Amino acid sequence: MAVHKTTIKLTKAHRIRSDTSESVARFEIHYHRCLNAEGLPVYSLSEVASDPERLARLYRAMMLTRLFDTKAVALQRTGQLGTYASSMGQEAIGTAIGTAMRPDDVLLPTYREYAAQFLRGVSMTEILLYWGGDERGMNYQQSREDFPISVPVASQTAHAVGVAYAFKYRKQPRVAVCILGDGGTSKGDFYESLNIAGVWKLPVLFVVNNNRWAISVAREQQTAATTLAQKAIAAGIRGEQVDGNDVIALYDRMRLALARIRDTHEPMLIEALTYRMCDHTTADDASRYRPDEEVEAQRVYDPMHRLKRYMLNNGYWDEHKEQQLNKACIDEIEAAVKAYLETPPQSPQSMFDYLYEDLPDALKVQRAHAAGRKRDD
Amino acid sequence: MTEVNLVEAVNLALAQEMAADDDVLVMGEDVGINGGVFRATINLQKQFGTTRVVDTPLSEAVIGGMAIGMAAQGMKPVAEIQFMGFIYPTIDQILNHASRLRNRTRGRLSCPMVLRAPFGGGIHAPEHHSESTEAMFAHIPGIRVVIPSSPARAYGLLLAAIRDPDPVVFLEPKRIYRIAKQEIEASGEALPLDTCFVLREGSDITLITWGAMTHDTLQAADALTEEGIHAEVIDVATLKPLDMTTILESVAKTGRCVIVHEAARSGGVGAEIAAGIGEKGLLHLLAPVERVTGYDTVMPLYRLEQCYMPDKQQIIEATKKTLEFV
Ligand SMILES: Cc1ncc(C[n+]2csc(CCOP(=O)(O)OP(=O)(O)O)c2C)c(N)n1
Ligand SMILES: [Mg+2]
């Protein structure tokens, strides 16, 4: 290294130090994809890609979720559901997660991962009850250890670390799978959770659903980091990117990650790159802050379209199957909606019934008071 | 004179104060091009640019803490927390720093910041979007907690909050953001902090409230008037520090008092007011102080929301019960 000419005389020791600086850490983030937007293979495919039945199951989960989202938004628009967060265009991520997880793993989701939840056995009626303002929608009848949707962004990352600690403590080969959004990766909870998961080697998989927007704040405004996956590197955790609209790549990477985590108890982070094709929620109007052209340009990357093209190209799928599936999904959704709409409201005093295991005496008067209240429906 | 609703009044106060004082800055999630999820900051970024109307990353703890740093530098940050349900990461900063900076440095540094957040129930919002936890802030020495309940008070009190040399948590009752318009004189004149507002004079009973419940309380007072009962209605407005003087004067006059708040009952600000009346106004009381409040439960999801919220009928009943006490 050339020593700059200066009036200050450098000591020998100074010069030696600067001459011997060496790189002590470097990192790379890999981006994984199997199919391009047209459903053509870009890298060698795993055995999943030649298993029509598994492919059809992945496709079904995406279709069900998309039709469910469409229905839920319609219910909201007609005053039959509260504010709703759609997962339109992002169905592949939850589908891959839900398919790759084992039943005894634990899911800690945000509000945009219905595909994963449905595959875990959470019912559509439960999700509707939740957004319809009824706590019973969080009392999942299956996957009883899964966490309910976490609304305070990124707070679930800490719970995931705790769940993973319990798994490790009991020497159980289980994984806590935690989903958060790109915006969520700006929160301290997230960094702190990554850090502890890394230092204690806890069996947790963080999945970042990077849909490029956090309400009106674009991914570029959220962080100067090139990828969100590299945030894991700083905590000593493996991180990678996957095309979040490529369900085959996602499924492969999730399976590998889960197997590795189960095996080594080392946490991992997967950043799934996708795009929010809808408003943030039904209370939002995205046209206020992002150009229609940007959304339109994303349509070609649609995850369902991509898998369908691949299946069509390989003779695994046809329009008849498509229509059958469509009808089956709609029937299932209609039945769930009916069950939702027919669910009578809870009693007013139910507010008190799950506060504590046993209601303290101090609250009994209030409970009796609430019992006399009238609902407005 | 301009006719505005409560959220428009917030916007107006922000715009005027930003125009008047270069040190005022607005920051928070989605406050820029989106104008805030309730549009409280609409058009501000267009008018004042991206360095004065700042969309932050999703980082409440830092929003709260950064405001302290800016304020210590003599800026006047007005930080928005999108919903009160997401304000809690700022509590570390508010409680451990904002409220104490002046005290710790014996006045060398101070913290003229405002932390705004919409709060309260009644709009069928999702989980974590409807709580009223103002008492948690009212418990913190060294800060002010201010809640407007009309467009005029939103305008005048927000101006006062921004100009105040100490930290103010400014909580906006979103249920009444758009409930009514009011002619206000946008003269840049602030309303006083640390004082209650007597909204209606009456001789039979004092109804004390704040935030969205002011609206229901005034309606109850109207209904009571028709029955010949004249209620004095007080909007507390600044919950910390409390103006017990105005409250005690009123109670001395009426001898009866009902406190109304949406927040959970125990440990609520109503308890502090009742204690204050007990300490200094006991001998004026002709009946026990009544409270009409939310229950000590988790705020239910919206299907049961109406069963949680105190309402006009409860206020009327509590008033009559108090009046019938002999
Ligand atoms: C801690 C916290 N702050 C603010 C909010 C309000 N809010 C809800 S969703 C959201 C954006 C989240 O963006 P991202 O993490 O990218 O998830 P996405 O909604 O895009 O799936 C915000 C600011 C919240 N729910 N929690
Ligand atoms: Mg996002």
Side-chain angles (χ1 to χ4, degrees), chain A residues 345-352 366-377, chain B residues 124 295 300-314 317:
Chain A
Q346 303 176 96
S347 70
Q349 64 272 27
S350 70
M351 271 186 261
F352 291 84
Q366 288 189 19
R367 187 180 184 277
H369 185 274
R373 299 290 291 271
K374 277 201 270 305
R375 286 182 302 258
D376 58 354
D377 53 36
Chain B
H124 280 199
Y295 300 118
L301 294 189
Y302 78 76
R303 228 174 160 189
L304 290 181
E305 185 172 51
Q306 280 317 316
C307 301
Y308 174 91
M309 308 272 289
D311 60 23
K312 174 180 142 187
Q313 202 48 41
Q314 280 174 276
E317 279 162 24

Side-chain angles (χ1 to χ4, degrees), chain A residues 90 111-112 181-184 209-215 217 276:
Chain A
Q90 305 163 52
Y111 43 79
R112 231 188 268 291
D182 44 316
N209 172 330
N210 176 358
N211 63 6
R212 305 263 295 274
W213 290 92
I215 311 187
V217 179
R276 201 189 78 209

Side-chain angles (χ1 to χ4, degrees), chain A residues 89-374:
Chain A
Q90 305 163 52
E91 302 87 350
I93 300 169
T95 296
I97 294 169
T99 312
M101 283 175 75
R102 287 192 190 160
D104 69 343
D105 292 335
V106 165
L107 181 70
L108 300 100
T110 58
Y111 43 79
R112 231 188 268 291
E113 304 303 338
Y114 312 116
Q117 292 194 289
F118 295 158
L119 288 161
R120 305 275 308 151
V122 174
S123 76
M124 291 185 283
T125 304
E126 285 165 345
I127 296 295
L128 290 171
L129 281 168
Y130 176 70
W131 294 110
D134 190 322
E135 288 82 357
R136 288 170 297 184
M138 291 183 275
N139 182 11
Y140 306 144
Q141 295 306 299
Q142 286 188 48
S143 295
R144 301 281 295 168
E145 292 173 53
D146 281 7
F147 268 59
I149 288 167
S150 175
V151 170
V153 165
S155 53
Q156 73 278 14
T157 55
H159 314 151
V161 167
V163 168
Y165 192 98
F167 291 163
K168 186 163 178 172
Y169 181 79
R170 293 178 176 150
K171 302 193 168 49
Q172 296 169 337
R174 304 166 73 188
V175 181
V177 179
C178 172
I179 316 178
L180 68 155
D182 44 316
T185 68
S186 296
K187 267 196 98 213
D189 316 35
F190 168 69
Y191 286 101
E192 295 175 37
S193 301
L194 275 184
N195 183 59
I196 288 189
V199 72
W200 290 345
K201 304 213 180 317
L202 299 176
V204 52
L205 172 63
F206 299 96
V207 180
V208 177
N209 172 330
N210 176 358
N211 63 6
R212 305 263 295 274
W213 290 92
I215 311 187
S216 71
V217 179
R219 154 68 182 81
E220 295 69 34
Q221 291 169 275
Q222 205 64 242
T223 173
T226 311
T227 69
L228 302 177
Q230 76 202 55
K231 295 193 176 192
I233 307 293
I237 296 177
R238 298 169 66 98
E240 64 182 36
Q241 276 192 334
V242 185
D243 183 333
N245 288 2
D246 180 343
V247 74
I248 297 180
L250 283 166
Y251 178 48
D252 282 345
R253 299 313 302 176
M254 302 278 176
R255 276 192 313 159
L256 267 174
L258 289 172
R260 187 196 303 270
I261 295 167
R262 234 182 278 287
D263 217 36
T264 63
H265 269 178
E266 297 210 3
M268 249 199 87
L269 182 145
I270 292 178
E271 175 189 0
L273 288 152
T274 183
Y275 191 84
R276 201 189 78 209
M277 294 302 293
C278 46
D279 291 334
H280 170 69
T281 64
T282 50
D284 176 50
D285 172 9
S287 70
R288 295 175 56 80
Y289 53 78
R290 68 176 186 187
D292 284 347
E293 304 84 74
E294 182 183 306
V295 183
E296 285 312 310
Q298 289 289 331
R299 284 201 195 285
V300 294
Y301 302 110
D302 185 87
M304 287 184 62
H305 171 78
R306 189 177 310 194
L307 180 59
K308 184 177 170 185
R309 285 300 299 263
Y310 174 80
M311 293 194 301
L312 286 171
N313 291 345
N314 289 278
Y316 299 152
W317 200 247
D318 55 44
E319 278 311 318
H320 178 65
K321 283 185 179 153
E322 174 89 8
Q323 271 160 31
Q324 270 187 323
L325 176 60
N326 196 287
K327 166 128 195 355
C329 288
I330 286 175
D331 288 349
E332 206 179 310
I333 291 165
E334 288 306 328
V337 170
K338 185 163 183 287
Y340 158 64
L341 293 173
E342 286 174 358
T343 304
Q346 303 176 96
S347 70
Q349 64 272 27
S350 70
M351 271 186 261
F352 291 84
D353 294 344
Y354 299 92
L355 268 188
Y356 303 92
E357 183 159 331
D358 295 312
L359 189 68
D361 285 345
L363 288 176
K364 288 185 175 152
V365 176
Q366 288 189 19
R367 187 180 184 277
H369 185 274
R373 299 290 291 271
K374 277 201 270 305

Side-chain angles (χ1 to χ4, degrees), chain B:
Chain B
M1 297 291 264
T2 7
E3 216 192 30
V4 288
N5 61 31
L6 200 156
V7 71
E8 289 164 348
V10 167
N11 184 261
L12 188 62
L14 290 172
Q16 286 193 349
E17 203 57 7
M18 289 188 82
D21 183 347
D22 284 346
D23 285 327
V24 179
L25 166 147
V26 164
M27 65 175 170
E29 293 158 13
D30 306 288
V31 298
I33 186 169
N34 201 30
V37 295
F38 288 101
R39 312 291 175 247
T41 56
I42 195 164
N43 292 329
L44 295 182
Q45 194 176 63
K46 214 184 288 167
Q47 197 179 342
F48 298 103
T50 50
T51 51
R52 289 188 70 196
V53 181
V54 189
D55 270 328
T56 64
L58 213 162
S59 308
E60 280 80 5
V62 182
I63 293 172
M66 209 166 75
I68 296 169
M70 291 170 168
Q73 282 294 312
M75 293 185 70
K76 293 173 189 160
V78 184
E80 174 177 302
I81 298 297
Q82 203 161 81
F83 287 88
M84 195 178 196
F86 313 124
I87 207 169
Y88 309 111
T90 73
I91 288 188
D92 179 25
Q93 295 292 348
I94 300 301
L95 200 151
N96 283 329
H97 294 292
S99 68
R100 303 159 62 116
L101 195 58
R102 179 186 296 284
N103 184 64
R104 286 173 69 212
T105 62
R106 300 283 103 173
R108 182 171 58 81
L109 296 175
S110 64
C111 197
M113 64 174 277
V114 179
L115 192 66
R116 294 179 40 243
F119 82 110
I123 63 162
H124 280 199
E127 195 181 13
H128 301 286
H129 288 68
S130 299
E131 288 71 12
S132 299
T133 52
E134 65 273 19
M136 291 178 48
F137 287 95
H139 193 62
I140 302 175
I143 66 168
R144 287 190 162 75
V145 180
V146 176
I147 298 179
S149 67
S150 73
R153 284 188 294 285
Y155 174 80
L157 291 173
L158 183 53
L159 287 180
I162 299 171
R163 293 171 194 171
D164 191 77
D166 289 302
V168 177
V169 173
F170 193 85
L171 301 172
E172 298 164 11
K174 61 178 181 289
R175 174 157 65 96
I176 58 169
Y177 258 162
R178 299 194 161 80
I179 202 166
K181 292 215 175 212
Q182 187 181 9
E183 289 265 325
I184 66 169
E185 188 155 6
S187 59
E189 205 165 307
L191 285 169
L193 300 177
D194 304 352
T195 57
C196 300
F197 292 84
V198 179
L199 302 185
R200 179 171 309 185
E201 298 202 3
S203 50
D204 296 331
I205 189 163
T206 304
L207 305 180
I208 301 171
T209 189
W210 56 89
M213 289 312 300
T214 305
H215 191 78
D216 309 78
T217 304
L218 285 170
Q219 286 188 336
D222 282 343
L224 289 162
T225 310
E226 282 170 27
E227 299 182 42
I229 299 166
H230 300 286
E232 181 140 308
V233 178
I234 294 181
D235 173 13
V236 177
T238 301
L239 276 69
K240 176 84 165 196
L242 257 183
D243 167 21
M244 281 308 296
T245 309
T246 303
I247 291 171
L248 286 165
E249 271 170 21
S250 176
V251 171
K253 180 170 78 178
T254 63
R256 300 173 201 266
C257 173
V258 175
I259 302 163
V260 182
H261 62 71
E262 192 177 309
R265 188 179 192 83
S266 47
V269 175
E272 179 60 31
I273 294 171
I277 296 170
E279 283 165 355
K280 299 260 172 64
L282 185 67
L283 300 181
H284 294 293
L285 284 178
L286 303 170
V289 173
E290 275 286 320
R291 280 183 290 165
V292 176
T293 69
Y295 300 118
D296 290 323
T297 64
V298 173
M299 180 79 193
L301 294 189
Y302 78 76
R303 228 174 160 189
L304 290 181
E305 185 172 51
Q306 280 317 316
C307 301
Y308 174 91
M309 308 272 289
D311 60 23
K312 174 180 142 187
Q313 202 48 41
Q314 280 174 276
I315 301 168
I316 292 171
E317 279 162 24
T319 300
K320 290 186 176 167
K321 183 175 162 201
T322 307
L323 286 167
E324 281 155 19
F325 184 89
V326 280

